[in-house]
């Protein structure tokens, strides 16, 4: 079962700020299921929930998008 309070306190605010600049937040439904996180408790709400995140990532890379690793 997932831990809803496990993220750093400022993560939701940073995600909201990113969305405000046009960044799309895409969430993997498989990850939600494995962690037990209910969709309605995502904060901020994602722009899209995809069945498998790795497939969406591969699709975006094939379209020329870049992966940024930090």
């Amino acid at each position: 079962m997932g831990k809803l309070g496990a993220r750093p306190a400022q993560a939701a605010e940073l995600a909201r700020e990113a969305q405000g600049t046009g960044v799309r937040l895409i969430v993997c439904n498989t990850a939600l299921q494995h962690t037990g996180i209910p969709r309605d408790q995502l904060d901020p709400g994602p722009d899209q929930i995809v069945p498998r995140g790795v497939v969406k990532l591969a699709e975006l890379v094939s379209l020329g998008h870049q992966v940024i690793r930090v």
Side-chain angles (χ1 to χ4, degrees):
M1 187 64 74
K3 295 180 180 179
L4 297 177
R7 70 169 183 242
Q10 73 231 67
E13 182 58 33
L14 292 173
R16 278 189 214 96
E17 288 178 22
Q19 277 183 311
T21 66
V23 172
R24 291 179 55 224
L25 297 180
I26 300 172
V27 173
C28 173
N29 190 55
T30 300
L32 291 177
Q33 290 174 343
H34 285 331
T35 58
I37 299 172
R39 292 177 181 209
D40 64 348
Q41 291 189 17
L42 294 175
D43 178 30
D47 296 291
Q48 182 179 11
I49 296 177
V50 297
R52 292 185 305 273
V54 70
V55 172
K56 184 64 172 180
L57 180 61
E59 174 189 329
L60 291 170
V61 168
S62 75
L63 294 172
H65 294 270
Q66 298 291 314
V67 175
I68 300 173
R69 292 184 175 100
V70 291

